[in-house]
Structures are given as structure tokens and as C-alpha cells.
Amino acid sequence: MKTAIISDIHSNIEAFEAVLAQIGKDKVYCLGDIVGYGPNPNECVELVREKACVVIAGNHDFGSVGQIDISGFTKEAQFVCRFTHDRLALDNFSYLKELFETASPQDNVTLVHGSLKSPLFQYILGQKAARSSFKLLKTPLCFFGHTHLPIIYKLKGRKLTVEGLVEDENLFLDKEARYLINPGSIGQPRDGDPRASYLIFDNKNYSVCLKRVAYNVSKTQKTMLKANLPQPLISRLTVGQ
Ligand code: ZN
């Protein structure tokens, strides 16, 4: 059975719809940050509720519904949290509020937004943070988001290696190793490629495959402009940074 691992949709409905069209009937796990930054929070939450069988909370989801303090967020992120808060329909608001911070939907898989040490806040951006999550990891695999950067950390014995993911290339996982795997971001990629990013996990072949999907960036940007969202958030979608 194949599972699509998606993360950081960030209220970008054009990117999300383009990804879902490619995923088709595969099962979907969502690693949080459904909302924040983008202009279409309700549409994205509704589609996640319809399509994803397992969903966990991101900092922007909780930030937008008052579950966490957002004073540490950037000015732009705070602005969009308030924008999202004011627009979310009541049932979507309650849905986000009730999300769990981690999940283990299969025996060998853990899902978290940031890291296992701090599920909502910590960025796994290097070996030190990766090691602290490996210490807490109880399954062979952990899928995480938050950094918006597709990457794999592999721990075999005491050796930690960092691997990139190549688009459309199956990477066969080592059953003797453990992994922290990030699928990148759907709605606000930050690796210099503006296309939406997600991952296919094949539990049978024990492999992962990175997917990139082009979407109508200028349409999203026009909606953001109309909604008076901060210009830097609009511009960054063009370059994927
Ligand atoms: Zn995010």
C-alpha cells in the first residue's frame, strides 16, 4: 500500500489541489501546518478533512486557533495567524484545535510536525536536532515537516548520515537503520524550487519517492494580494524560498 506524505500546505489551495490530482487514490498522511501564510484556510482544512486519514497539528494550526502563544512568530506569520483566526469557519476552527501533536498510524511509522523533542516548535535542521529526535523515536521511521525542506536523516548503529531526495527516484530504505524523513512543503517550498513538494511512502517495497508538482503560483499570489497579505509572503512563492 502506498501512502502520500504531505506537509505544510499553508492555506495554498492551488498547490494542494495540484498535488491531490497527482496523488489520486493513495492514502494520505498530513504532517500539519494546513493553514498560515496563504489565503485559503477553510478550503484547505476542508480538503484535508476529506482526503487525509491521519492528520497532526503544526504550529500555524495551533497558532491560528489560540492553542499556543504566537509572540515568537515573525511579524508576517502573526499577521496571517490573525487573518486565519478571523476567517476560519467554526467547525474548521474546532477541527484544528483538536488535532494531536504526534501519531503512529502504522507499527513502523511516527508522524510529527517539528521534532519529537518539541513537536510544534523545534526545527530539525542539523545532526544535533536529528540525534535528539532519534533518541525519542520508538519506530523505525518518522516523517516530519516544519522546515519546508525535503531531506532524510539516517541512523544506522551510531552513524548518522544526511541524504537528499531526488525527484521521481525510489529510495529503498535499509531495514537495519532508522530514519527521519521530511517531504518538503506543499504550499510554501523553501528549497529554491517553487513547485509543491510531497513524498510517496511504499511500505511494501520499503521505499520513498519525492514528488514535485507545478501549480498556478500567480493565481495564489493574486488571491493573497486581494486579501492584503504581507508582500514578502507573496514574493517568496515565485522563487520557493
Ligand atoms: Zn510550515
Side-chain angles (χ1 to χ4, degrees):
M1 181 80 184
K2 288 184 183 175
T3 309
I5 313 288
I6 65 171
S7 192
D8 296 273
I9 299 161
H10 284 299
S11 296
N12 185 335
I13 192 68
E14 281 78 27
F16 190 23
E17 282 176 341
V19 165
L20 286 173
Q22 197 183 77
I23 288 173
K25 289 199 183 318
D26 286 341
K27 203 160 54 163
V28 176
Y29 294 165
C30 176
L31 308 177
D33 276 4
I34 305 163
V35 300
Y37 295 134
N40 293 105
N42 283 306
E43 292 84 344
C44 289
V45 174
E46 275 151 27
L47 215 44
V48 163
R49 293 172 69 179
E50 186 189 328
K51 303 283 182 185
C53 59
V54 185
V55 184
I56 52 162
N59 53 320
H60 285 259
D61 303 319
F62 274 2
S64 299
V65 297
Q67 285 286 89
I68 55 167
D69 174 21
I70 58 167
S71 58
F73 282 26
T74 63
K75 286 274 169 296
E76 284 106 15
Q78 289 187 33
F79 180 91
V80 190
C81 275
R82 288 191 287 272
F83 165 90
T84 305
H85 178 276
D86 294 347
R87 274 158 192 80
L88 277 172
L90 202 57
D91 58 333
N92 292 332
F93 193 97
S94 317
Y95 174 81
L96 293 182
K97 218 170 172 155
E98 282 157 20
L99 291 173
F100 290 112
E101 292 184 14
T102 59
S104 189
Q106 298 177 26
D107 287 351
N108 58 351
V109 172
T110 300
L111 309 179
V112 71
H113 183 67
S115 77
L116 291 174
K117 196 175 162 195
S118 175
L120 290 170
F121 298 106
Q122 191 187 26
Y123 293 90
I124 301 181
L125 278 169
Q127 302 218 358
K128 199 173 161 221
R131 278 196 190 275
S132 70
S133 273
F134 273 123
K135 273 192 193 135
L136 299 166
L137 183 61
K138 294 189 172 71
T139 57
L141 302 177
C142 175
F143 293 103
F144 71 101
H146 199 35
T147 64
H148 300 205
L149 302 168
I151 200 162
I152 294 193
Y153 294 91
K154 175 183 178 184
L155 185 69
K156 190 169 183 181
R158 297 186 63 183
K159 193 172 169 241
L160 181 64
T161 46
V162 187
E163 294 174 14
L165 283 152
V166 183
E167 182 181 353
D168 291 330
E169 212 168 83
N170 271 326
L171 183 91
F172 291 93
L173 303 171
D174 179 348
K175 291 218 160 144
E176 313 282 295
R178 294 195 298 153
Y179 293 89
L180 304 171
I181 305 174
N182 192 317
S185 165
I186 287 185
Q188 196 200 73
R190 292 179 191 164
D191 63 340
D193 183 341
R195 295 176 301 163
S197 181
Y198 74 100
L199 197 90
I200 295 289
F201 167 52
D202 187 334
N203 209 355
K204 204 166 148 215
N205 294 337
Y206 212 49
S207 66
V208 289
C209 184
L210 183 74
K211 296 285 179 185
R212 300 304 289 246
V213 188
Y215 72 95
N216 192 341
V217 174
S218 64
K219 192 175 172 198
T220 306
Q221 290 173 317
K222 273 183 201 138
T223 318
M224 290 172 83
L225 202 61
K226 246 193 234 164
N228 283 319
L229 294 183
Q231 188 58 50
L233 299 180
I234 301 175
S235 309
R236 71 189 302 177
L237 294 182
T238 309
V239 285
Q241 284 289 358

